[in-house]
Amino acid sequence: MALAHTILAALSNKPCSGYDLSKRFAENSGCFWRASQQQIYRELAKLEDEGLIVAEVLPQEGRPDKKIYYSTETGREKLVAWISEPSEPTPIREDLLVKVLAGHLVPQSLILKELDCRRQVHLQQLSVYKELERERCQGLRELPLESQCFCLTLRRGIRYETEWIAWCDEAIALLSESE
Amino acid sequence: MALAHTILAALSNKPCSGYDLSKRFAENSGCFWRASQQQIYRELAKLEDEGLIVAEVLPQEGRPDKKIYYSTETGREKLVAWISEPSEPTPIREDLLVKVLAGHLVPQSLILKELDCRRQVHLQQLSVYKELERERCQGLRELPLESQCFCLTLRRGIRYETEWIAWCDEAIALLSESE
DNA sequence: AGCTACATGTAACGAGTTACATGATTAT
DNA sequence: ATAATCATGTAACTCGTTACATGTAGCT
């Protein structure tokens, strides 16, 4: 259900095409929502069927026509209703932790390598978020509400990555000790 | 793919029935893997089809027969192969953050209430993990490797919940200021 | 009398992934 | 020449959720 609402929220903010939506997701919402192009196209078609969004077709030359989607009044109502109901935490499913738990079945060094690799992935992602924070969250308290909200999601991303890095360090320290 | 491997890992550790597996997941692996009973039964049937596990039927009286599943040699090989390949971080999808980002569409107080509610959920979960840590992670460095690995997953859970609580505090502070 | 625990499963649906298809434009 | 970007979509498949079905035993 939530992908539909994420799209409605994005379109309420600024109408755009499926292609552009997909890029906006990757750039602005990457730290808390991920969706493939295919998923977005399918969901847009469904939302249009249900009358929650409408499309305006922009003919283009040499390229496929562009379909700009707009949220309808019904769409906005549905979105507000969804925001107003309580939501539950997303259940966690993390491959790496399954591997750590079953780690005694393989050579220790393999797990350590994996942990180090993950540490680097999170370091990388962290630096992306920090750069975004520098660009868009200066003087947080003076920014308009919408920017403050965006920065809060970024802060969540930063905390998330930081926490992963710290845990990797902890795990690496403990497991390399017992070798 | 990962549910299959999570099950293989659990069965390698200790053979058991689908019913018991489901309970073990909830108790021991809750902080990083969640699966419904139905999902587990379906996956077990599939794994049996593929010869990665075998079932021994324990007839019972007054109750449905119990099927105890064991990992086969092939099953263990598949598991080790999976552990040995690098894994990617799970993509994040978090309803609450979508709501925060679109928060300007509803009264501020609604978002604040939601944040406070989430904070409590994470506080609750945190205390569960801390209790488990107290019971099973004393003298960590002297424990057998398998226990250390379990405690590492617990530590991840504790960090995760702690981080959420801190973020909720931060978000509540920022958003109640601008009222 | 009604709830929880035990123990298994089927069926339908919703959400996410992967592969395939098309075809022009622009940059290296 | 080749890759990336623009722009849309279909189809098949896997994974996760929800509802339904069955039936005993024990507790309150």
Side-chain angles (χ1 to χ4, degrees):
Chain A
M1 286 273 91
L3 173 57
H5 297 107
T6 310
I7 289 178
L8 284 174
L11 292 181
S12 296
N13 200 29
K14 186 169 182 293
C16 69
S17 68
Y19 189 81
D20 292 332
L21 252 187
S22 161
K23 279 196 302 176
R24 276 173 63 191
F25 271 47
E27 279 164 30
N28 298 326
S29 314
C31 59
F32 61 90
W33 206 273
R34 222 148 283 205
S36 64
Q37 255 188 21
Q38 287 70 13
Q39 232 188 318
I40 290 172
Y41 280 124
R42 182 172 56 181
E43 203 65 38
L44 284 170
K46 213 175 115 197
L47 288 171
E48 198 182 6
D49 264 7
E50 291 168 1
L52 304 182
I53 59 176
V54 285
E56 176 197 356
V57 178
L58 280 193
Q60 297 193 127
E61 279 167 37
R63 296 191 176 172
D65 294 349
K66 207 171 174 164
K67 288 169 81 173
I68 310 287
Y69 290 97
Y70 297 82
S71 180
T72 63
E73 197 47 50
T74 327
R76 272 182 292 274
E77 280 164 22
K78 284 255 173 182
L79 177 59
V80 167
W82 176 74
I83 295 179
S84 308
E85 15 174 278
S87 58
E88 309 236 317
T90 307
I92 313 172
R93 295 196 178 84
E94 196 62 60
D95 287 15
L96 182 56
L97 291 175
V98 176
K99 293 185 180 184
V100 166
L101 193 63
H104 56 279
L105 299 172
V106 298
Q108 198 82 326
S109 61
L110 236 162
I111 300 288
L112 282 167
K113 207 161 73 184
E114 186 76 8
L115 285 169
D116 190 57
C117 174
R118 267 303 275 279
R119 190 176 176 282
Q120 276 173 43
V121 170
H122 291 297
L123 263 178
Q124 165 61 27
Q125 192 57 253
L126 179 60
S127 79
V128 171
Y129 292 156
K130 283 202 166 164
E131 178 58 28
L132 269 174
E133 195 188 32
R134 226 169 298 140
E135 288 169 15
R136 302 178 51 182
C137 304
Q138 296 287 335
L140 183 57
R141 256 149 269 263
E142 278 69 48
L143 294 178
L145 180 59
E146 286 184 44
S147 304
Q148 290 191 6
C149 288
F150 170 76
C151 290
L152 279 177
T153 66
L154 246 190
R155 289 288 306 156
R156 182 68 234 288
I158 288 172
R159 282 175 175 284
Y160 182 79
E161 302 299 335
T162 305
E163 188 271 304
W164 260 108
I165 293 164
W167 178 81
C168 285
D169 287 339
E170 185 179 339
I172 290 170
L174 182 67
L175 294 180
S176 33
E177 209 176 275
S178 52
E179 268 186 309
Chain B
M1 286 276 88
L3 173 57
H5 296 107
T6 310
I7 290 177
L8 284 175
L11 293 182
S12 296
N13 200 30
K14 186 169 181 292
C16 69
S17 69
Y19 189 82
D20 292 332
L21 251 187
S22 161
K23 279 196 301 175
R24 276 173 62 191
F25 271 46
E27 278 165 30
N28 298 326
S29 315
C31 60
F32 63 89
W33 207 273
R34 221 148 284 206
S36 63
Q37 253 188 23
Q38 287 70 13
Q39 232 187 320
I40 290 172
Y41 280 124
R42 183 172 54 181
E43 203 65 39
L44 283 171
K46 213 176 114 197
L47 287 171
E48 198 182 5
D49 264 8
E50 292 168 359
L52 304 182
I53 59 177
V54 285
E56 175 197 358
V57 179
L58 280 193
Q60 297 192 127
E61 279 167 39
R63 298 194 172 169
D65 294 348
K66 208 171 173 163
K67 289 169 81 174
I68 310 287
Y69 289 98
Y70 297 82
S71 180
T72 62
E73 197 47 50
T74 327
R76 273 182 291 273
E77 279 165 22
K78 285 254 173 184
L79 177 59
V80 168
W82 176 74
I83 295 178
S84 308
E85 9 173 285
S87 58
E88 308 235 319
T90 307
I92 314 170
R93 294 197 179 84
E94 196 62 61
D95 287 17
L96 183 56
L97 291 175
V98 177
K99 294 185 179 184
V100 166
L101 193 62
H104 56 279
L105 299 171
V106 297
Q108 199 82 327
S109 60
L110 235 161
I111 301 288
L112 282 168
K113 206 162 73 187
E114 186 76 9
L115 285 169
D116 190 56
C117 174
R118 267 304 276 278
R119 189 175 176 281
Q120 276 174 43
V121 170
H122 291 297
L123 264 177
Q124 166 60 28
Q125 193 57 253
L126 179 60
S127 79
V128 171
Y129 292 156
K130 283 203 168 162
E131 177 59 27
L132 270 174
E133 194 187 33
R134 224 168 300 138
E135 288 169 16
R136 303 179 50 182
C137 304
Q138 296 286 335
L140 183 57
R141 253 148 272 263
E142 278 69 49
L143 295 177
L145 180 59
E146 285 183 45
S147 303
Q148 291 192 6
C149 289
F150 170 77
C151 291
L152 278 177
T153 67
L154 245 191
R155 290 287 307 154
R156 182 67 233 289
I158 288 172
R159 284 175 174 281
Y160 182 80
E161 303 299 334
T162 305
E163 188 272 304
W164 260 108
I165 294 163
W167 178 82
C168 285
D169 287 340
E170 184 180 339
I172 290 169
L174 183 66
L175 293 180
S176 32
E177 209 176 276
S178 51
E179 268 186 307

